[in-house]
Amino acid sequence: MPTRTGTRLTARDLAADTPATRDRYIDLLRVASLAVVVLGHWLMAAVTDDGRVGNLLAVVPGLQVLTWVLQVMPVFFFVGGFAHALSYRSRPAYAEFVRGRVRRLLRPTVLFAVVWFLLALPLQSGGGGLTGTALRLVTQPLWFIGIYLAMVAFTPPLLRLHRRWGWGAFAALAGGAAAVDVLRFALGVPYVEFLNFALVWLAVHQLGFLRADGRLRVPWALAGAGLAGAAALVAFGPYPLSMVGMPGEKVSNMAPPTLALLCHGVWLVGAVELLRGPGTRLVARARVWRAVVAANGVAMTAFLWHLTAMLAVYGALLALDVRLPDPASPSWWAWLPVRVALAAAVTALLVVVFRAVERPAPRPPRPAGPAAPAVLGVTLSLLGVLGLSMTGYGGLLTGRTATLIALPVTAPQALALTLAGWLLVELRR
């Protein structure tokens, strides 16, 4: 019998209580995709002695081809679609579904945003060098939280379309993404490209619905079509080679997403499905499964704080007058494992400090309540975290703004939206 700790279960308890019907490979993909994203950010950071943070892929453009394997955020959104389909079918009340999926996501996000806001206020006077860079960079990964919140909010209507049209629903989203790129690149229609933040990522999310229904039966065809499509678009279209954003580029495959990125996502989904057999056998091992369960319990906290940890390591090195080698030089490559290990150690320490909020204590069952507060809560928090990802915490005292859906927003305003949305999501009645 597993040992209980208060009202919460330990990772060992959860691993032991896992039902035989659970798809453990999906949990492995969730952890692995976030781990690759975190590692990618650490590897790409090219910090110089004056505190500037560049991109290794810009220093060595030949490495950009690696993003075709290492840009795995589509896998996380695919896994999200699978989980959301099963979750909504088990509790089809909209308000309860939204609260159940969003609550665990928003709690560590709100804590991260508030802690960094309190840190940023006294750091404003030293806004140059690495400090200024940190104030701008640490909130950038919050765009991912905003997109994921939108996926949760749209799951019920998109599931209805999926039940009716199946692959047709995915094709409609993919066709919409293609039409947006035609309007953008061929006809020069302004602002239309921002629609692809929804169309591209929701199309990948829709593949998760198909996976939940067992309808991804020929993954080799999916992988082949996606890879061929992405290669053709990059070779003959206006799309860059890199599947992550690059400094100074006129066109990015990521911000906003393009049809090439959607093809890349399709290729990755096909690839991970091809690895399903060996992956399932791997995660069936007791020790591996316990590690996956433990990692899933802190994954969002680690994701939120990993850039903070990396910048703290570089800040400490600069404070100790350690000369940083030139990016991509032989000494830079030699010391890379040490810097990554230090960033991982600091991230682990931050996880120990902040992990308690990621798994809320269980609540007794109550009526689901009206959907309106949940919808409003998700909307406000979505706008808030997207605003924070764009503004950063630099320029707090000068009222620095960023444009969010045609409206200027400051970091305090974005934080207020995030807090208001979180409170509405937590509201039970």
Side-chain angles (χ1 to χ4, degrees), residues 84-102:
H84 295 162
L86 297 187
S87 177
Y88 186 69
R89 288 165 181 169
S90 67
R91 47 180 177 188
Y94 185 87
E96 195 62 25
F97 165 76
V98 167
R99 289 192 178 103
R101 301 305 301 180
V102 168

Side-chain angles (χ1 to χ4, degrees), residues 205-258:
H205 189 246
Q206 205 79 10
L207 290 174
F209 294 170
L210 291 161
R211 168 68 156 77
D213 286 349
R215 299 178 69 176
L216 297 182
R217 298 190 184 94
V218 260
W220 59 267
L222 205 63
L227 187 59
L233 289 170
V234 169
F236 304 109
Y239 305 95
L241 174 66
S242 175
M243 291 298 163
V244 301
M246 298 297 299
E249 62 185 357
K250 293 183 178 180
V251 176
S252 167
N253 281 320
M254 273 290 293
T258 64

